[in-house]
Amino acid sequence: MVPRKSKEVRINEITEAAIDVFLHKGYEGTTMESIAQKAGVSKGGLYHYFKSKDMILINANEKISKKVEELMETALESSSAREGILYYIENYIRYWLDNPRETAFLFLSMAKMLENPDLLKYYKQYTADYITFFEGAFNMGIQLGEFKPHNAKASAVTLMAALDGVLGYMLFDEDLVLDEVIQYFEEKFIKSIETEKLS
């Protein structure tokens, strides 16, 4: 007798299958039936876990963003704000470049965000957490004497926007090399605010 899969395993399988279907058929072309078929579950079985494809879309975004949350946690463990921020910058960009499937799904989700109140709510919270993370890191750098006193929120918002913006450009422009891009970010967002003793 084949042992039954745990709820967590089954939800993960459905989510992974849904990402593939969304990317292959687009949001509009995706149905609960097509997700169920790809996941190898009955349509009724799928509805047992998710009430709609929107719920699956949000769950998939939460699953993908867990990796980003792990990067934030690791960055915050650094005893140096400078090193923590640089760790995050490098590994955030690297994660999306190394995982084109997840990156494509992120862009697909962003396109649906304004039409979906629940997804919009999720992204608003994600953005708020993202800004709080960077603002805290910059403030930590100021407190440690690594960074000059400055508007930490301004640094947080502009760094966040620059990171997400550069991803698109790096996907289209082969001349944008990861190591060079990291140097650009370090120059603009770290070296420009470092105290004299660290410069």
Side-chain angles (χ1 to χ4, degrees), residues 22-110:
F22 278 124
L23 289 174
H24 180 67
K25 298 191 171 189
Y27 178 83
E28 278 74 19
T30 296
T31 62
M32 290 292 276
E33 193 167 346
S34 61
I35 293 171
Q37 190 175 13
K38 178 74 176 175
V41 297
S42 68
K43 197 172 173 184
L46 178 60
Y47 276 104
H48 175 71
Y49 296 106
F50 296 102
K51 300 302 177 200
S52 68
K53 70 177 181 180
D54 284 355
M55 280 184 67
I56 301 175
L57 186 74
I58 291 166
N59 187 73
N61 274 278
E62 289 173 348
K63 177 178 170 30
I64 289 172
S65 67
K66 274 191 172 52
K67 178 62 183 174
V68 176
E69 289 166 13
E70 288 170 13
L71 293 177
M72 287 182 187
E73 288 168 12
T74 303
L76 289 172
E77 288 169 5
S78 175
S79 58
S80 161
R82 177 189 195 282
E83 295 310 314
I85 293 169
L86 283 174
Y87 167 86
Y88 183 85
I89 288 170
E90 177 176 351
N91 288 283
Y92 181 82
I93 296 172
R94 193 183 296 280
Y95 169 70
W96 293 111
L97 294 180
D98 288 348
N99 295 278
R101 174 177 171 264
E102 284 76 5
T103 305
F105 183 75
L106 174 70
F107 286 127
L108 178 144
S109 299
M110 301 276 258

Side-chain angles (χ1 to χ4, degrees), residues 13 20 27 46 48 60 65 97 126 143 146 148 156:
E13 287 177 349
D20 288 339
Y27 178 83
L46 178 60
H48 175 71
S65 67
L97 294 180
Y126 175 81
Q143 290 164 6
E146 292 181 82
K148 299 169 188 170

